[in-house]
Amino acid sequence: MTQPQAAAFDFLLGKWNVRHRRLKERLYGCEDWQEFSGQMHAQPILGGQGNMDDNLLNLPDGPYRAISLRTYDPENDIWAIWWLDNRTPHNLDVPVKGWFEGGKGTFFADDILNGIPIKVRFQWTRIATATPRWEQAFSSDGGLTWEGNWTMDFSKQE
C-alpha cells in the first residue's frame, strides 16, 4: 500500500549522520568533488503537516548550519521544501515542489544561478531503507539535461 503523501517524510524524522558529496562548481563542467560529513535532526511541525531539520555541514573550508523546512498542502497533494543557512541568514531559497511516487520523491523549482535561469531538481530515494539518499541536480537548458551536483547519504545516529 502506498504511504499517504502527508506522511511521506516520516522516514526522515530523527537524528542522522550525513555523508555529503558535492561539486565544487556547478554548471561549468566541473568534475572536482568535495566530500564531507554532517549531522541532521528532523522533527515534525504544524501538527504533522510539515517537518524541519537542523543541519551541521562540515565543509572543508569550515562548518555552517542550515535548516530545511518542508510543508504539505493536502488540497493540492504537494510538498514544498525551503533551505536557509547561516551563511546568508536572510535569504530563503526558492521552494522546490513535488511529491512521492513509487518510493521516490521528486521536487522541482525554477531559480537563478550566477545570473542564469536554471531548473532545480531534488530527489529522495532509498526512503524505505536505513540509508535514504537526497540528490540535487541543476539544468540550464530547461530540463533537457541535468547535472547532478550534490548527494547526501543518511545513516541513523545510535
Side-chain angles (χ1 to χ4, degrees):
M1 182 170 165
T2 301
Q3 185 178 31
Q5 283 291 322
F9 275 105
D10 285 0
F11 73 92
L12 196 57
L13 301 178
K15 294 182 178 182
W16 299 85
N17 292 313
V18 185
R19 195 181 92 239
H20 296 266
R21 185 173 187 263
R22 74 172 194 171
L23 281 177
K24 284 187 176 182
E25 303 243 3
R26 296 171 185 145
L27 296 177
Y28 289 105
C30 179
E31 295 182 15
D32 193 9
W33 291 85
Q34 292 178 311
E35 295 192 26
F36 53 96
S37 67
Q39 291 83 42
M40 192 268 290
H41 178 208
Q43 59 190 14
I45 59 171
L46 302 172
Q49 204 142 326
N51 59 70
M52 67 173 291
D53 53 59
D54 183 23
N55 295 272
L56 172 63
L57 295 92
N58 295 311
L59 279 171
D61 297 338
Y64 73 94
R65 305 285 312 204
I67 64 165
S68 294
L69 175 65
R70 300 175 196 86
T71 60
Y72 177 66
D73 174 358
E75 186 174 320
N76 295 300
D77 199 27
I78 196 166
W79 281 89
I81 307 170
W82 292 264
W83 178 261
L84 175 69
D85 70 57
N86 68 340
R87 297 171 303 169
T88 55
H90 294 160
N91 294 335
L92 190 62
D93 280 358
V94 171
V96 294
K97 295 183 178 181
W99 57 88
F100 285 82
E101 189 173 349
K104 178 166 85 173
T106 306
F107 307 84
F108 294 98
D110 292 316
D111 205 349
I112 305 287
L113 178 68
N114 300 325
I116 301 167
I118 64 166
K119 291 201 173 291
V120 177
R121 182 183 69 201
F122 288 5
Q123 290 186 315
W124 280 98
T125 57
R126 304 188 323 220
I127 62 173
T129 73
T131 57
R133 170 177 268 201
W134 172 87
E135 300 175 48
Q136 176 179 271
F138 291 167
S139 174
S140 60
D141 60 13
L144 296 175
T145 61
W146 293 92
E147 175 189 79
N149 59 53
W150 197 331
T151 61
M152 289 191 246
D153 290 306
F154 293 78
S155 59
K156 279 279 192 184
Q157 287 184 5
E158 299 297 322

